[in-house]
Amino acid sequence: MRHFIILFFFLVSSVALGQKHLIGIQGGLNLTNFSSNESFENTTFRTGWIGGLTYDWLLNEKYRLGLDILYAQRGIKDKFYLMDDNGVYTGEIKTEMNYDYLSFPLKLGYVFGNSVRLIPKIGIVPAFVMKAEITVPAFDGNGVITGWETVDHKDYVTQFDLGCIGELGVETDLSERLILCSSFSYKHSFTTFSNSGYFDGYQLRHYGFSVALGIKYRLDQ
């Protein structure tokens, strides 16, 4: 993970070479779920947040290369329906499966427009797990739900995740140096966070959408 951080700051420091660069911050919502070979029938998207630092290297007037450092909350919400011996619905049990990552999206983009710029981007997203927790009901001796408990799963999930990203960015200048930006993106993991010791055979892969808003600062000389 430290290699990606070193790479990020190396690219930013390369402004001394006389190229055009943008640095910034962004934050927004991350709506995620995961795919599986086995059935998770009642899952819904987790609403988390995503945010961090952004960097763009303007290769020329149209093409740019970006590398971000983002903290991203992923996961799902799930529910299990309870039935009595006659198959009659008696209630439901809700659970949450939360996985937080430090991610490093690396993207290539193409710029359309001038005063308002549309920038479609594609790329890859290496990521490292920072937190993995499952929240489940706590029961007393009679099987009655008394509250909730959170179980730490960080040592069991696959620690590295690699995915792809498709993004549409929008930019407009606030001043000669400041740029207001927003983005909508879709991400899907190539790799699984399940393994032989964690949901073996399920082939769990993250996917989801994010919407973010941010500010960039132009560093060109």
Side-chain angles (χ1 to χ4, degrees):
M1 178 171 63
R2 67 177 181 273
H3 299 299
F4 288 97
I5 297 176
I6 292 172
L7 175 61
F8 178 87
F9 287 107
F10 173 77
L11 289 175
V12 173
S13 66
S14 65
V15 67
L17 299 178
Q19 301 295 331
K20 295 182 179 181
H21 305 257
L22 307 174
I23 60 171
I25 58 173
Q26 72 171 25
L29 295 178
N30 210 29
L31 304 176
T32 60
N33 207 316
F34 57 67
S35 61
S36 172
N37 284 353
E38 301 292 336
S39 177
F40 281 80
E41 294 182 351
N42 304 301
T43 64
T44 57
F45 281 74
R46 178 192 182 188
T47 302
W49 65 272
I50 186 170
L53 304 175
T54 66
Y55 167 74
D56 289 280
W57 179 12
L58 281 61
L59 303 174
N60 54 41
E61 292 184 356
K62 291 298 183 180
Y63 287 96
R64 62 176 59 181
L65 185 66
L67 175 64
D68 305 333
I69 298 179
L70 303 176
Y71 192 92
Q73 294 182 321
R74 307 178 186 176
I76 65 165
K77 294 183 178 180
D78 200 4
K79 63 177 64 175
F80 301 92
Y81 296 112
L82 303 178
M83 304 290 181
D84 63 16
D85 293 338
N86 298 317
V88 177
Y89 171 82
T90 59
E92 61 187 40
I93 297 175
K94 297 180 180 179
T95 63
E96 293 184 4
M97 302 175 68
N98 298 327
Y99 306 92
D100 294 359
Y101 287 81
L102 188 62
S103 62
F104 300 84
L106 178 62
K107 299 166 289 186
L108 178 66
Y110 186 85
V111 180
F112 294 91
N114 293 303
S115 59
V116 176
R117 298 177 291 278
L118 299 179
I119 311 171
K121 301 177 181 179
I122 58 172
I124 59 172
V125 186
F128 300 86
V129 67
M130 304 300 292
K131 183 169 69 174
E133 297 177 340
I134 295 182
T135 301
V136 295
F139 298 89
D140 62 16
N142 297 317
V144 177
I145 297 177
T146 58
W148 300 89
E149 63 179 349
T150 299
V151 183
D152 187 356
H153 283 208
K154 185 177 183 299
D155 292 337
Y156 305 106
V157 301
T158 303
Q159 300 297 299
F160 177 75
D161 183 82
L162 180 64
C164 59
I165 181 172
E167 180 178 289
L168 178 62
V170 181
E171 291 182 356
T172 187
D173 294 333
L174 297 177
S175 68
E176 183 179 347
R177 293 287 184 181
L178 288 179
I179 299 169
L180 178 66
C181 58
S182 62
S183 64
F184 174 80
S185 62
Y186 173 78
K187 306 178 188 72
H188 199 295
S189 294
F190 295 130
T191 58
T192 67
F193 64 93
S194 56
N195 51 59
S196 60
Y198 189 75
F199 287 96
D200 186 23
Y202 278 63
Q203 297 294 305
L204 303 178
R205 291 181 173 87
H206 296 288
Y207 70 90
F209 306 87
S210 62
V211 179
L213 184 67
I215 293 288
K216 295 180 180 179
Y217 183 80
R218 184 177 285 112
L219 292 173
D220 53 301
Q221 302 295 321

